[in-house]
Structure formats: C-alpha cells, structure tokens
Amino acid sequence: MDSYIIESIKKKSRMPARLDLLQSGTGLILGVFIWMHLLFDSSIILGKGAFNFVSKNLELAFLSDTGQGFPIAVFFAVLAIGTLFIIHALLGVRKFPISWKQHRIIRDQMQMMNHSETNLWYIQVVTAFIMFFAGSVHLYVMFANPGTIDPYLSADRIVSGHMWPLYLVLLVCVVLHANIGLYRLCMKWGWFAGKDARKSRLKLQKLRNRLIVFYLTIGILGLLVFVVIGINHKDNVGERYAAHATAVEQVQELEETRESEGIQAVEETQELEESQELEESQELEESPAVEESPAVEESQELEETQPVEEYHE
Ligand code: HEM
C-alpha cells in the first residue's frame, strides 16, 4: 500500500521535470559563460596588454575616472556564477551512481552496448565529479581575491601560487563537460533539429568535437603563456602589470630625456668646438700679417742701409 501511495505521488509530481528544466537552464548559462570565459582568458596569447585590456573592461574600468576598474564587479560575478555552479552540481548529483555497485552496473552496460551517447553521459559524470572540487577551489580563490585579475598577478598565481596543475585538470574537464553538455541540451530539447534529425545530429556532433579541439587548444596555449610570464616574473611576485608598465614608461622617458640632453650637450660642444676653431683660424689668418711685418721691415731696413754703408767704404 505504502509503495503504491509513493508511486502515485511520484507519478503526479511535476518536480522531476522542473528540476530537469532548472538543470538545463543553469547548464546553458554556465556553458555559454565558459565559452566566453576561456575566450577572454586566452587573450593572454595576444600579449599582456591584451589581457590587461580585457580584464580591465570586465572590471568596468571604462566607468571609472582613474581607469582602475571595480573589483566589486568581479566579486558579484563570481557570486552569481558560484551560485549557479552549486545549484547545477546539486541537481546533477541526483543522477550520480551513488554506490560502487551502481557504478559497476553502469560500466558493464556501457561495455555491452558500446553506445556513444551513454559513453558521453559517463564522461559528464566523471568530469562533473572532478570539477566539483577543482571548480570550487578556483571560484573561492577568485571570490576572495576579486581585484587580482592582472597579467602578472594571474601568472604569479599560476606559477608561484602552484595553481597550474589544478587549472590544467579543470581546463580539460570543463571543456569536455561544457561542450558535451551543450550538445546534449540540443539533443534533449530538440534545438536545431531541422527537417532531417539524423543529419542535424551529425552536424552538431561535428561542431561539438571542433569546439572541444578549439577550446582545448586556446586553453592550453593560454596556460602555457601564463606559465612563461609567471616564470619570468618570479622575482617580482605581487607586482601589478600597470605598476610595471608605468615604471617602464618612466625609465623610457628618463632615457629619452637623457638621450636628448646628451645630444644637446654633444651639439653644444660641437658648436663650441666649431666656434673655437673658427676663432683660431681667423686669428691665424690675421696674425701672419702682424708677425711678418717686423721681419719684412727689418729686411727692408737692411736692404736700404747696406748700399749706403757700401758707398761710405
Ligand atoms: C565569475 C567567475 C569566474 C572568474 C572571475 C574566473 C576568473 C578566472 C581567471 C582570472 C583566470 C586566469 C587565471 C587566474 O587569474 O587565476 C581563470 C582561469 C580559468 N578558469 Fe575561471 N573564473 C570564473 C569561473 C570559472 C568556472 C565556473 C570555471 C569552471 C568550472 C572556470 C575555469 C577556469 C579554467 C579552466 C581556467 C584556466 C584557463 C587556462 O588558462 O587555460 N572558471 N579564471
């Protein structure tokens, strides 16, 4: 009787369908967020300046007079994404194999059927389990340090803060989970089904695989660039990119003024030398006439006196 009552409640309840809808909705938002997140994050491949530009704009720096941005914007973004992440995970746990026995049954059935969609479902379960821990750590770090999204501070966190192994595992899991998840959503709710369901399914599978390759490539490349920056910046951990850029600018300005002062000094000494040379040459031109005259006068005197003396003799 009891089981009959429970069964009849189960049948009438719309709760499972609503929870499914909620899981799909949160999954859709998180999946699109991850697409954007990894694109923005990989701007580091284009250089520190590009990443700084992207992160400052996401911190709404264009609204501030100082151009500093508002870390509180990141705080609320993490709060919102973190809440969706937890809701999505809790809804997902309903479908987890909760004992070793259940797990074994699923594995055996998978081997027996070798059905690609069931295999995908298993990948979703495993990646979700890993992301539950790795994603929580990452979200907590961002939640506690919302003002530290910066090419140098992020690279320092990845290398000197030893976060790179966690990011690598999280990256692989999140790329698989997000893209397989979005593909499954399309299948489940019949999005982009078109006239020929089989054809559109194949197209979606192709798109899913390409997106996985694309996001894994830019994610790993971005992580590598962060690692290189972090290794080179090991001696200056905690220094911000903006502070570094201003310091570099100041040094460049100083060098430029020194250089221009040096050029001026060289020009001045050259002018001085030239004027001195000019003066000397002028003096030289004038002086032989003056110096020559006594000699000439003397010789003339001599010439004049000699015949007289001769005459007297
Ligand atoms: C609003 C929430 C989030 C913010 C503000 C955020 C911010 C960041 C930042 C700044 C980085 C660069 C490294 C660093 O500075 O530590 C990063 C990397 C990463 N994030 Fe997030 N994150 C958020 C949510 C998530 C979520 C929910 C996931 C997945 C569960 C995730 C997965 C990753 C991965 C895999 C990387 C490494 C990407 C790479 O360079 O290859 N993030 N995140």
Side-chain angles (χ1 to χ4, degrees):
M1 184 64 187
D2 275 355
S3 66
Y4 169 75
I5 291 168
I6 290 168
E7 278 306 308
S8 63
I9 290 170
K10 253 195 214 167
K11 270 176 200 162
K12 276 177 196 166
S13 175
R14 288 184 174 172
M15 205 49 162
R18 283 189 184 138
L19 293 181
D20 252 14
L21 196 65
L22 190 59
Q23 189 174 14
S24 295
T26 50
L28 177 65
I29 299 170
L30 286 169
V32 174
F33 166 79
I34 288 299
W35 275 352
M36 306 308 290
H37 177 14
L38 293 182
L39 270 182
F40 291 147
D41 192 53
S42 60
S43 61
I44 194 70
I45 300 169
L46 301 178
K48 295 184 278 265
F51 183 83
N52 192 52
F53 175 80
V54 170
S55 57
K56 284 287 154 259
N57 277 305
L58 291 177
E59 283 180 13
L60 312 178
F62 50 87
L63 295 179
S64 79
D65 298 332
T66 55
Q68 287 291 305
F70 304 97
I72 194 85
V74 177
F75 174 85
F76 281 117
V78 180
L79 196 68
I81 293 297
T83 310
L84 285 177
F85 182 78
I86 292 170
I87 294 173
H88 185 74
L90 285 177
L91 292 169
V93 164
R94 290 176 305 151
K95 296 169 181 172
F96 262 48
I98 49 166
S99 66
W100 180 249
K101 199 175 160 193
Q102 280 186 2
H103 179 251
R104 266 297 2 133
I105 292 170
I106 289 170
R107 290 292 297 162
D108 291 345
Q109 281 183 354
M110 275 170 65
Q111 269 171 4
M112 209 168 65
M113 294 191 298
N114 196 19
H115 182 234
S116 66
E117 298 297 309
T118 317
N119 295 347
L120 286 184
W121 177 83
Y122 189 72
I123 293 177
Q124 288 302 80
V125 171
V126 174
T127 51
F129 183 75
I130 299 170
M131 276 165 57
F132 201 70
F133 301 100
S136 303
V137 173
H138 173 49
L139 280 170
Y140 181 74
V141 170
M142 297 322 303
F143 184 74
N145 309 283
T148 61
I149 304 179
D150 173 274
Y152 281 149
L153 296 185
S154 293
D156 289 344
R157 187 172 20 248
I158 287 170
V159 175
S160 303
H162 311 293
M163 288 289 277
W164 67 266
L166 183 119
Y167 280 142
L168 190 60
V169 172
L170 186 59
L171 176 72
V172 175
C173 290
V174 85
V175 167
L176 289 174
H177 194 92
N179 288 299
I180 293 174
L182 288 170
Y183 161 79
R184 284 170 60 88
L185 271 188
C186 294
M187 290 292 108
K188 183 169 181 173
W189 301 103
W191 300 337
F192 312 110
K195 281 179 189 156
D196 188 341
R198 218 183 83 85
K199 235 180 183 176
S200 19
R201 187 194 194 93
L202 286 175
K203 270 187 190 165
L204 282 173
Q205 280 174 352
K206 223 181 206 174
L207 181 66
R208 177 200 68 204
N209 293 344
R210 284 186 180 164
L211 284 169
I212 289 175
V213 172
F214 172 72
Y215 278 103
L216 276 181
T217 309
I218 62 164
I220 290 172
L221 259 179
L223 203 54
L224 270 175
V225 175
F226 269 127
V227 168
V228 172
I229 297 172
I231 290 172
N232 290 333
H233 198 245
K234 247 185 168 175
D235 296 334
N236 299 308
V237 170
E239 177 202 35
R240 279 178 180 276
Y241 174 74
H244 177 84
T246 345
V248 168
E249 266 172 28
Q250 281 172 350
V251 169
Q252 274 173 349
E253 269 174 31
L254 208 72
E255 273 173 8
E256 274 167 21
T257 48
R258 267 187 196 160
E259 225 172 75
S260 66
E261 275 171 11
I263 290 168
Q264 263 182 354
V266 169
E267 279 173 358
E268 276 168 19
T269 47
Q270 274 176 348
E271 272 172 28
L272 209 73
E273 278 172 7
E274 278 169 15
S275 64
Q276 275 176 349
E277 268 172 28
L278 205 72
E279 271 172 29
E280 276 170 18
S281 65
Q282 275 175 352
E283 272 172 27
L284 216 67
E285 273 170 18
E286 285 164 13
S287 61
V290 178
E291 273 171 17
E292 264 171 25
S293 58
V296 173
E297 274 168 20
E298 272 170 25
S299 67
Q300 278 176 348
E301 271 169 29
L302 211 69
E303 274 170 20
E304 280 167 17
T305 52
Q306 266 178 357
V308 178
E309 276 165 15
E310 271 170 24
Y311 178 71
H312 281 295
E313 278 170 9

